[in-house]
Amino acid sequence: GDFVFYSVLIGRAAAFDFVTVTACFYAVLSGLCLTLFLLAAFKKALPALPFSIFLGILLYISTNFLLLPFITDLSKNSLFV
Protein backbone atom coordinates (compact mmCIF):
# COMPACT_ATOMS: atom_id res chain seq x y z
CA GLY A 1 0.00 0.00 0.00
CA ASP A 2 2.79 2.45 0.81
CA PHE A 3 4.57 1.85 -2.47
CA VAL A 4 1.36 2.52 -4.39
CA PHE A 5 1.06 5.96 -2.80
CA TYR A 6 4.72 6.75 -3.41
CA SER A 7 4.51 5.76 -7.06
CA VAL A 8 1.27 7.70 -7.60
CA LEU A 9 2.78 10.79 -5.96
CA ILE A 10 5.96 10.65 -8.04
CA GLY A 11 3.99 9.83 -11.20
CA ARG A 12 1.65 12.76 -10.64
CA ALA A 13 4.63 15.03 -9.96
CA ALA A 14 6.26 13.85 -13.20
CA ALA A 15 3.34 15.34 -15.13
CA PHE A 16 4.51 18.82 -14.15
CA ASP A 17 8.23 19.30 -13.90
CA PHE A 18 11.48 17.70 -12.81
CA VAL A 19 11.68 20.11 -9.87
CA THR A 20 8.39 18.74 -8.51
CA VAL A 21 9.57 15.16 -8.97
CA THR A 22 12.79 15.91 -7.11
CA ALA A 23 10.98 17.67 -4.26
CA CYS A 24 8.51 14.79 -3.84
CA PHE A 25 11.30 12.23 -3.99
CA TYR A 26 13.21 13.96 -1.20
CA ALA A 27 10.00 14.41 0.80
CA VAL A 28 9.32 10.67 0.71
CA LEU A 29 12.90 9.92 1.75
CA SER A 30 12.71 12.52 4.54
CA GLY A 31 9.46 10.99 5.79
CA LEU A 32 11.13 7.59 5.85
CA CYS A 33 14.10 8.95 7.81
CA LEU A 34 11.77 10.71 10.24
CA THR A 35 9.82 7.50 10.77
CA LEU A 36 13.01 5.52 11.39
CA PHE A 37 14.27 8.16 13.83
CA LEU A 38 11.02 8.14 15.78
CA LEU A 39 10.99 4.35 15.73
CA ALA A 40 14.42 4.32 17.37
CA ALA A 41 13.42 7.00 19.87
CA PHE A 42 10.07 5.54 20.99
CA LYS A 43 10.97 1.86 20.52
CA LYS A 44 7.49 0.91 19.36
CA ALA A 45 5.89 0.26 16.00
CA LEU A 46 4.86 3.32 14.01
CA PRO A 47 2.96 3.55 10.73
CA ALA A 48 5.34 4.35 7.88
CA LEU A 49 3.01 6.28 5.62
CA PRO A 50 1.75 9.40 7.52
CA PHE A 51 5.01 11.37 7.61
CA SER A 52 5.78 10.65 3.98
CA ILE A 53 2.23 11.52 2.92
CA PHE A 54 2.29 14.81 4.80
CA LEU A 55 5.72 15.87 3.55
CA GLY A 56 5.07 14.62 0.02
CA ILE A 57 1.75 16.40 -0.41
CA LEU A 58 3.07 19.54 1.27
CA LEU A 59 6.06 19.76 -1.07
CA TYR A 60 3.97 18.74 -4.09
CA ILE A 61 1.52 21.59 -3.54
CA SER A 62 4.14 24.16 -2.57
CA THR A 63 6.38 23.26 -5.50
CA ASN A 64 3.55 23.32 -8.03
CA PHE A 65 1.89 26.50 -6.89
CA LEU A 66 4.75 28.54 -5.41
CA LEU A 67 8.15 27.44 -6.64
CA LEU A 68 7.36 26.38 -10.22
CA PRO A 69 5.72 29.70 -11.26
CA PHE A 70 8.67 31.55 -9.70
CA ILE A 71 11.19 29.46 -11.64
CA THR A 72 9.17 29.90 -14.84
CA ASP A 73 9.12 33.69 -14.44
CA LEU A 74 12.85 33.73 -13.78
CA SER A 75 13.58 31.69 -16.89
CA LYS A 76 11.32 33.90 -19.05
CA ASN A 77 13.33 36.91 -17.95
CA SER A 78 16.63 35.08 -18.47
CA LEU A 79 17.51 35.21 -14.79
CA PHE A 80 19.12 32.14 -13.29
CA VAL A 81 19.73 31.36 -9.66
Side-chain angles (χ1 to χ4, degrees):
D2 296 353
F3 293 114
V4 172
F5 167 74
Y6 302 146
S7 63
V8 168
L9 178 67
I10 300 296
R12 183 75 178 140
F16 289 99
D17 194 59
F18 184 70
V19 174
T20 308
V21 172
T22 307
C24 289
F25 175 73
Y26 285 120
V28 169
L29 288 180
S30 298
L32 173 67
C33 291
L34 180 63
T35 302
L36 291 175
F37 175 75
L38 291 175
L39 179 66
F42 291 128
K43 294 183 174 44
K44 65 178 186 176
L46 296 171
L49 194 58
F51 298 117
S52 294
I53 284 178
F54 177 72
L55 291 173
I57 291 175
L58 179 73
L59 283 178
Y60 175 79
I61 290 171
S62 64
T63 304
N64 268 344
F65 297 113
L66 298 175
L67 188 62
L68 198 57
F70 179 68
I71 291 173
T72 304
D73 288 341
L74 285 179
S75 66
K76 284 181 183 177
N77 295 325
S78 298
L79 297 173
F80 300 101
V81 177

